[in-house]
Amino acid sequence: MTENSSNSARDAAPARVDSELSQAERTLRDAGIDSARGDAEWLLAAVLGIDRGRLLVVDGLDQDTRDRFRGLVTRRARRIPLQHIVGATAFGPAELAVGPGVFVPRPETEFLAEWAVGIAGRAGIVTVVDLCSGSGALAVAVATMLPNARVWAVERSPTALEWLRRNVASAPPQVRDRIAVVAADVTDAAQMRAMLPFGSVDVVVANPPYVPQAARVAPEVAHDPADAVFGGADGMSVITPMMPIVAELLRPGGVVGVEHDDTTSAAVLDVVGAVGAFDDVRARDDLAGRPRFVTARRV
């Protein structure tokens, strides 16, 4: 067979989508990835430039597509986060650009956004502050779901701020125009007072660094910035100094929701209680039944 006829044979025999996906699923499962099938589908959809749901109508894959897909599968098998490979992640109603230098938002944090929206409702102008905003996941999602909300997104990391500004700028105008990006350290009261509407905020949400330094984490977490993941030896190095500042931010009757490690719920409850400015302090579980959030109301 000549080279030309060999190339023609390759081009004339597109691979079946289900066969390629099954092979990719096996590769990813062997690498220890629980979501192997879903990840394989997301990667193929990214290569094809289509929604994942449209894979069912793809007739076949040519050799170039197969090569690119298998390259992405190899990267994912090295436990590079799926979101870094495809360059985006879904969070509630928002799609966010993510990559090296910014924390990839987790699905469990969507509960915090839903809590904030549910408690704020849709009446009047609601002022929301998102502390340790990172990619802007909570800020963009809350602003999307609450059309009357004015949102401040606070982030310290210069690299994360680039992603945050990019995601705010990419949001629809009716969302983008209601989000203010603030470069500040959430544990620095003077910085925060200079930039935020202290004493008049209705809702504060925060997904701060909270994993205890010695905790075992998934290989993908190594690709997140360490200062966005770990909260000191006890997981409380940001939450503890942040909470008195949160008390100053909130108006009387305003509320706060803070995400935390599943081992530190009691410690967070103690810190919030010790501030002496909150009541209705509650521990809340995530959808997997693990303690994940503490909420409270400013007295």
Side-chain angles (χ1 to χ4, degrees), residues 1-283:
M1 181 181 291
T2 66
E3 182 178 349
N4 286 341
S5 61
S6 175
N7 288 341
S8 297
R10 280 162 47 110
D11 293 340
R16 291 176 56 191
V17 171
D18 58 352
S19 175
E20 281 294 317
L21 285 173
S22 294
Q23 179 179 325
E25 180 181 4
R26 287 191 294 272
T27 299
L28 297 180
R29 199 167 300 284
D30 288 346
I33 296 170
D34 292 335
S35 56
R37 181 69 181 197
D39 284 15
E41 291 175 355
W42 280 115
L43 292 172
L44 183 55
V47 169
L48 294 171
I50 62 175
D51 292 334
R52 179 183 172 192
R54 292 191 57 79
L55 290 174
L56 292 172
V57 300
V58 177
D59 292 331
L61 306 174
D62 61 28
Q63 188 62 42
D64 177 64
T65 300
R66 278 181 277 173
D67 289 344
R68 288 187 291 134
F69 174 54
R70 291 172 183 177
L72 296 190
V73 171
T74 298
R75 293 180 64 199
R76 182 68 185 104
R78 295 201 301 265
R79 304 304 290 268
I80 297 172
L82 171 71
Q83 298 87 346
H84 282 199
I85 297 171
V86 302
T89 188
F91 184 86
E95 181 165 307
L96 306 162
V98 292
V102 70
F103 182 80
V104 175
R106 305 318 198 238
E108 55 264 30
T109 306
E110 293 183 22
F111 175 86
L112 189 54
E114 292 166 1
W115 169 83
V117 169
I119 206 162
R122 295 180 177 273
I125 303 300
V126 179
T127 303
V128 180
V129 172
D130 171 23
L131 300 178
C132 303
S133 189
S135 65
L138 283 166
V140 175
V142 169
T144 300
M145 293 188 284
L146 280 177
N148 295 321
R150 176 68 170 149
V151 181
W152 276 260
V154 184
E155 177 54 52
R156 180 187 68 176
S157 162
T159 305
L161 277 164
E162 293 180 12
W163 291 101
L164 171 56
R165 291 187 174 110
R166 175 179 172 182
N167 284 319
V168 171
S170 298
Q174 65 271 24
V175 173
R176 176 182 68 227
D177 295 345
R178 292 182 288 107
I179 303 175
V181 175
V182 176
D185 182 341
V186 302
T187 68
D188 187 323
Q191 269 190 14
M192 297 275 282
R193 287 193 195 101
M195 300 180 183
L196 293 166
F198 266 61
S200 63
V201 175
D202 298 297
V203 181
V204 171
V205 290
N207 183 15
Y210 60 63
V211 177
Q213 195 69 47
R216 295 183 64 183
V217 296
E220 286 81 358
V221 176
H223 295 270
D224 284 320
D227 61 358
V229 175
F230 297 103
D234 60 358
M236 299 294 292
S237 64
V238 174
I239 293 174
T240 298
M242 179 182 75
M243 288 313 301
I245 299 172
V246 170
E248 290 188 55
L249 271 171
L250 288 168
R251 62 166 177 78
V255 293
V256 57
V258 180
E259 185 170 340
H260 57 73
D261 190 71
D262 58 10
T263 66
T264 60
S265 180
V268 176
L269 289 170
D270 287 346
V271 164
V272 174
V275 173
F278 298 102
D279 64 8
D280 194 23
V281 181
R282 302 187 190 187

